[in-house]
């Protein structure tokens, strides 16, 4: 399977608490729920198509618990591609603290995460999808386990909150696969990470 990540971010890179004011208030975040006014039918159709391609899902613990408490407890609305995918396909959680997952068809990956994910990627199928899960995405990128990155950049600056990429971290070269924008200005960008690094350290000028 190909490991893909899909993340909704603001122009200033914030990914925290997009769904609602109380979705994630960690760190004193008070500006949640920013995605709804900006998401239009075209962006929704694109996201539905992403979920329809999933053969399995991989989550970090925080995102898993948010999804389990919403999509995992919702009655089947009928014909919703996101609900169908999340509730009928295998789910894996990278966590050393989660011991009793409440969502059916969930497997906790607690030991040797890199080996477990490599094993999942080696299975036949289309996509092993990661949604949200910022800490996990950063770890996957650090370990060169991501095959494709999808960013849905929403036209808003939130000004606080957890960002997808840290202030310091590894540099990664990205190949642009696709780019388009929706009527409300959500920019959809699909990248493939590759090496060598995107930025090279400058050589000091010996004459200064």
């Amino acid at each position: 399977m190909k490991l893909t990540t899909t993340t909704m971010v603001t122009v200033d890179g914030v990914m925290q608490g997009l769904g609602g004011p109380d979705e994630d208030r960690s760190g004193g975040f008070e500006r949640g729920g920013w995605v709804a006014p900006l998401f239009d039918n075209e962006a929704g159709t694109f996201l539905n198509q992403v979920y329809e391609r999933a053969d399995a899902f991989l989550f970090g613990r925080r995102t898993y618990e948010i999804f389990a408490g919403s999509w995992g407890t919702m009655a089947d609305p009928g014909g919703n591609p996101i609900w169908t995918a999340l509730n009928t396909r295998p789910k894996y959680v990278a966590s050393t603290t989660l011991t009793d997952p409440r969502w059916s068809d969930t497997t906790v990956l607690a030991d040797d995460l890199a080996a477990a994910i490599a094993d999942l990627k080696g299975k036949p199928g289309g996509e092993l999808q990661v949604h949200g899960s910022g800490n996990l995405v950063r770890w996957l990128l650090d370990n060169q386990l991501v095959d494709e990155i999808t960013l849905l950049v929403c036209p808003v600056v939130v000004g606080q909150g957890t960002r997808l990429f840290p202030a310091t971290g590894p540099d990664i070269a990205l190949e642009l696969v696709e780019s388009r924008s929706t009527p409300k200005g959500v920019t959809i960008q699909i990248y493939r990470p590759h090496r060598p690094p995107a930025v090279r350290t400058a050589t000091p000028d010996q004459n200064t």
Side-chain angles (χ1 to χ4, degrees), residues 175-190:
E175 174 191 357
L176 180 65
V177 177
E178 180 182 342
S179 180
R180 56 174 147 141
S181 61
T182 73
K184 282 193 173 182
V186 176
T187 303
I188 300 168
Q189 302 167 6
I190 303 175

Side-chain angles (χ1 to χ4, degrees), residues 78-141:
N80 185 303
I82 298 177
W83 188 97
T84 300
L86 288 170
N87 285 282
T88 61
R89 288 157 203 172
K91 293 165 284 291
Y92 299 89
V93 188
S95 176
T96 58
T97 56
L98 182 65
T99 58
D100 187 23
R102 51 181 168 159
W103 205 354
S104 63
D105 205 4
T106 294
T107 301
V108 178
L109 306 178
D111 301 314
D112 199 348
L113 184 58
I117 293 174
D119 182 62
L120 288 173
K121 291 183 63 176
K123 294 181 182 298
E127 293 186 24
L128 173 62
Q129 293 187 358
V130 182
H131 292 266
S133 308
N135 287 336
L136 175 61
V137 169
R138 289 186 285 274
W139 183 88
L140 291 167
L141 287 168

Side-chain angles (χ1 to χ4, degrees), residues 64-76:
Y64 173 80
E65 291 182 334
I66 291 172
F67 275 52
S70 53
W71 294 104
T73 60
M74 184 189 304
D76 185 354

Side-chain angles (χ1 to χ4, degrees), residues 153-183:
V153 184
C154 299
V156 63
V157 173
V158 174
Q160 67 167 205
T162 302
R163 287 165 170 78
L164 175 58
F165 298 108
T168 58
D171 53 328
I172 305 168
L174 300 174
E175 174 191 357
L176 180 65
V177 177
E178 180 182 342
S179 180
R180 56 174 147 141
S181 61
T182 73

Side-chain angles (χ1 to χ4, degrees), residues 25-45:
R25 289 186 175 270
S26 60
F29 185 63
E30 298 177 341
R31 301 176 186 176
W34 46 265
V35 77
L38 308 168
F39 225 62
D40 52 31
N41 289 337
E42 188 172 324
T45 297

